[in-house]
Each structure stands twice: as structure tokens, then as C-alpha cells.
Amino acid sequence: MLEQPTFGRRLKELRVERGLSQAALAGGEISTGYLSRLESGARQPTERVVTYLAQVLGVDRSAFDTPPSGGSLAQALSIATSTDGDEGIENLIAVLGQVREEAPFLRWQALWLISRYWQRRGRRDEEQACLEKLARVADELALPELQCRAGSQLARSLRSTGEVTRALGIAVNAYQLAKGAGLSVTDTGGALLTLVSVEAEAGRLPDARAHVDELVQLVEGRSDPLAAEALWSAATVRFRQGDHEVARNYLERAMKELDSSVDLTLWARLRLAAASLHLQSAPPQTERGRACLDEAASALALVGTPVLRQELLTLQTHLAFEEGRYADARALHDQLHSDELRLTYRDQVRLHILDARLMLLEGREAEGIQRLKELGEQARQQSNIDLAAEIWRILAESLEDAGRARNNAGS
């Protein structure tokens, strides 16, 4: 009898080698859900199903008796890099977990591809664990380019989950490595992008300003994704320093200079960033925010990932709130299930702030105030100084509004 999970791994290997999707292999005979369970080892195959699968795959039944090749990391990498979609990456994850060979360059390449896969899905724990391994392999290889890239990505991942202190040390090291080794503009610029984002998150705005000015100068004359992200970073830093007009100018330049045909995903992300900036302005620029969100939505219908779709829905929630459509804001907020959020730490906190403000408007004063206090303390402990200050400001205003309402009611 064919044993699981060996049968499932071999079945998936044969399917991926032939470039078939699960739907194509399942055909009209079995469901894709059943096929998925077969491949994962959760179901035992029947003789009829084995005969059918062998026929569609064009192999003899005995092919399923052959152990999965799993040991060839080079083969799995070749399949992953030449297969559309993510099935090749899923196979690569399985193979990487089985191999024991010492092939650090192949292992580094596999980990790099897999970390990107987890990033697209917003699976931050898996992404971070993968990047930790990637950094260790890069150190083993002692190649500055690989060490810089691994460090930059790891620092970004740590920043996104609120681990700012550790992210800062790693980002500084990656930047110093790029400068010391005279790496390319792409590597040095990538390290600077990460360093600026971490410094800004840590509230070290003077340092972030100096480094982002260096970054903008570094990419001067370029018209590519790196230049667009540099201008975006400059906009972020200037906005947090309170220079909103200059921030908008930087972001508008980035949107103007990056053509959607070059990188449609980044094109959409820039419009999400612009919408966020408009909605955080004082007073909020809701019309401009809505226009940016409409443009982003049209692009994300084509290239949206789970993370980007959540970012879009989150900003649509903020827009509804700022427009005074509180019932709509609550309905949109409740579509974002807290146990499935794939947003960055900062965006999650801002969403929780909005939830607390809705509670206050809904008459749940004690609950809303308690939530704001908890968020403020959490941000302080994570060294997110400017975020903590924003929360305490909102809390103070909320307490003042509540006191005023009680006084008006008593008079």
C-alpha cells in the first residue's frame, strides 16, 4: 500500500514537474480540496484515485513508489524560478526542509525566494524566521552583498513587527557594511531605505532626515523603483517632522516619475501611502485621499496581495471615519479580523486607535479610554515615541471631550 506522507510529496513533485495546477490535475474526477489533502498527507489514496492520477500524469503506477527526490535543492530552485505562481515556492519549502547537503549558496537563494513568498502573504513570523536563517548563511558565506541584503530585509521585517531596537542595530550594520565595502547604488540605497524607515519608527527623526537626504542624493537622476521609494521615504520623514507640504511634494514626485508599467505593485503602494498622508493631515484631505484610494483599488484588482488588500481596506475605514460615516467605518473595521491582520505594527496600532475612537462615539467611553491607555503604554514600551505621543494626544482630547459632554449634560 502507498504510504502517506511519502505518497503526497511524490504526487506533488510529479505534478509540479509537469507544470500542472491542482485544478488541472484534479479535472472532473476529484475535487481540488481532496487532491490538496492527498498532497499534504492528510488522506490515504484509493486504488481508483491512484490509477486516475497516474493516467493524467502520464506515468506508471510504480512512479508513486519512488521516494520524492526532495534531496535536490538545485532541482527545486530550477522549478521554483521557472514556474508561474507560487506552487514552485511551496515545493521549494518542502525540499529545503528535507535536504541535509551543505550547499550554502543554493540554500541562500532558496531562503531569499521563500522569505519573499512569506512577505507577500503577510506571514511575518515565517518571514522573520526565514530571514534569520538567511542572515546566518550570508555570514557563513562572508559576501558583503549577501550580508547587506539579508541584514536589510531582516531589519525591515523586525521594524514591521515593532521590534525597533533590534531592527536599528541590524540596519546600522547593513548600511555600514554597504558603505565600507563600496557596494552598488542598489545595495547601498536598499540599506539606506531600511535604515531611514527604522530610525523614523524609533523617533530618531534628525538621524532619519540626514540619511534620507543622503539617499535622495544617491539616486538623483534615476527614474526607477529605488528612486521612487527614496522619495517616498523622504516624504515619510518630512511628514513626521511636521512639514506636510514638503512631504506631499516628495510623494507626488514619486508617483509622477514611476510609470505603472515599470512596477504596478509599487505604483499602487505609492497611492496607498499618499492616501494615508492625506488622511493624517490636519485637517484631513478626504477628497484627495479618496482619489488615491480609487486609483490604488483599480491596480490592486490586478496585482493585489493579502497584505495590500488589507492596507486598502484599512485606509477605506480611516476615510469613512474622517468623512463622519461612522457606521460605515465600523462595518469596514469589523471586516478586518484582528486574528488575521497582516498589517505592520504601526498600521495595526492606528487601526486599534480608530476602533477606540469609534467606541467613544458609540457611547462605550470606559472601554475606549482603556484601549487608548493600553495602546499608549504598548507603543512606549516598543520605543515608538512619536506613535505613543499621538495616542496620548488623542486620549487627552477624548477625556476633554468626555468632560465637556458631561458638563453640558449637567447644565
Side-chain angles (χ1 to χ4, degrees):
M1 176 181 271
L2 296 166
E3 296 293 334
Q4 289 285 29
T6 303
F7 170 79
R9 289 199 294 267
R10 179 59 175 156
L11 171 61
K12 183 172 184 177
E13 181 179 71
L14 290 168
R15 176 176 63 78
V16 172
E17 283 177 356
R18 285 154 179 75
L20 295 174
S21 66
Q22 286 187 336
L25 179 55
E29 292 294 317
I30 59 178
S31 70
T32 55
Y34 176 63
L35 178 59
S36 178
R37 289 191 290 276
L38 286 176
E39 290 188 351
S40 69
R43 290 291 298 273
Q44 187 69 29
T46 64
E47 289 299 323
R48 182 187 69 80
V49 167
V50 171
T51 300
Y52 166 74
L53 292 172
Q55 179 181 359
V56 176
L57 290 167
V59 299
D60 188 84
R61 185 190 182 289
S62 61
F64 296 114
D65 297 323
T66 304
S69 62
S72 174
L73 190 54
Q75 176 183 328
L77 275 167
S78 298
I79 293 172
T81 55
S82 60
T83 303
D84 292 334
D86 287 324
E87 287 197 27
I89 302 296
E90 293 165 4
N91 179 62
L92 180 62
I93 293 171
V95 170
L96 187 62
Q98 298 169 10
V99 296
R100 295 294 179 266
E101 62 191 83
E102 290 299 323
F105 283 105
L106 291 178
R107 190 175 293 275
W108 194 93
Q109 187 178 357
L111 288 167
W112 179 264
L113 292 174
I114 294 168
S115 69
R116 298 298 220 186
Y117 169 86
W118 293 130
Q119 182 188 53
R120 288 193 297 274
R121 277 155 181 70
R123 301 279 292 275
R124 302 192 186 280
D125 289 343
E126 289 89 341
E127 178 198 4
Q128 189 169 316
C130 189
L131 289 170
E132 298 276 10
K133 296 176 184 176
L134 187 74
R136 288 195 291 270
V137 175
D139 287 339
E140 177 186 343
L141 293 167
L143 281 178
E145 291 87 351
L146 301 188
Q147 290 173 302
C148 177
R149 293 168 195 175
S152 294
Q153 291 303 314
L154 178 56
R156 281 193 177 205
S157 179
L158 290 166
R159 178 195 63 81
S160 72
T161 57
E163 296 184 56
V164 180
T165 301
R166 185 171 173 228
L168 185 59
I170 295 173
V172 168
N173 287 339
Y175 168 64
Q176 291 176 343
L177 182 62
K179 293 283 284 186
L183 299 186
S184 67
V185 170
T186 300
D187 281 321
T188 304
L192 270 171
L193 277 171
T194 298
L195 180 57
V196 168
S197 70
V198 175
E199 288 173 332
E201 193 75 358
R204 298 177 57 167
L205 295 178
D207 292 338
R209 171 70 177 271
H211 283 129
V212 85
D213 288 347
E214 178 184 348
L215 174 59
V216 170
Q217 185 176 1
L218 180 69
V219 300
E220 187 68 35
R222 294 169 66 111
S223 182
D224 59 5
L226 178 59
E229 289 201 73
L231 293 170
W232 178 3
S233 293
T236 300
V237 172
R238 294 300 183 92
F239 188 84
R240 292 191 188 175
Q241 287 184 314
D243 199 343
H244 294 184
E245 188 59 35
V246 172
R248 280 190 288 270
N249 289 338
Y250 269 123
L251 207 45
E252 286 171 5
R253 276 181 57 194
M255 290 191 292
K256 183 182 296 184
E257 293 181 12
L258 183 73
D259 191 277
S260 61
S261 63
V262 174
D263 189 332
L264 184 57
T265 300
L266 179 56
W267 187 92
R269 289 176 63 216
L270 287 170
R271 278 145 186 81
L272 291 177
S276 180
L277 185 151
H278 291 315
L279 294 177
Q280 291 181 69
S281 297
Q285 300 180 343
T286 54
E287 287 300 320
R288 298 177 74 175
R290 176 181 290 278
C292 289
L293 288 180
D294 288 345
E295 288 185 347
S298 64
L300 294 182
L302 301 173
V303 296
T305 65
V307 178
L308 291 174
R309 283 191 286 270
Q310 278 197 359
E311 289 180 7
L312 174 63
L313 182 56
T314 299
L315 287 169
Q316 289 171 334
T317 306
H318 284 291
L319 174 64
F321 182 88
E322 297 299 346
E323 289 181 335
R325 296 184 288 110
Y326 302 126
D328 291 343
R330 171 55 73 192
L332 290 167
H333 173 275
D334 290 347
Q335 292 182 41
L336 293 156
H337 303 293
S338 59
D339 58 341
E340 297 175 0
L341 284 179
R342 300 176 180 183
L343 305 171
T344 65
Y345 170 78
R346 175 175 287 269
D347 286 344
Q348 287 195 41
V349 171
R350 292 194 65 243
L351 185 63
H352 294 323
I353 293 171
L354 183 143
D355 181 34
R357 297 178 74 182
L358 285 171
M359 290 178 187
L360 295 172
L361 290 167
E362 293 161 352
R364 299 152 62 189
E365 182 180 311
E367 190 177 353
I369 289 174
Q370 181 60 33
R371 172 66 65 86
L372 287 171
K373 288 180 178 178
E374 292 171 353
L375 291 171
E377 180 58 23
Q378 182 186 85
R380 185 193 65 78
Q381 292 178 356
Q382 293 282 3
S383 299
N384 282 271
I385 307 303
D386 64 325
L387 188 57
E390 178 184 352
I391 296 169
W392 294 126
R393 176 185 58 79
I394 292 172
L395 176 59
E397 291 174 353
S398 301
L399 290 170
E400 183 179 353
D401 290 343
R404 187 182 302 113
R406 284 192 292 270
N407 292 334
N408 289 340
S411 60

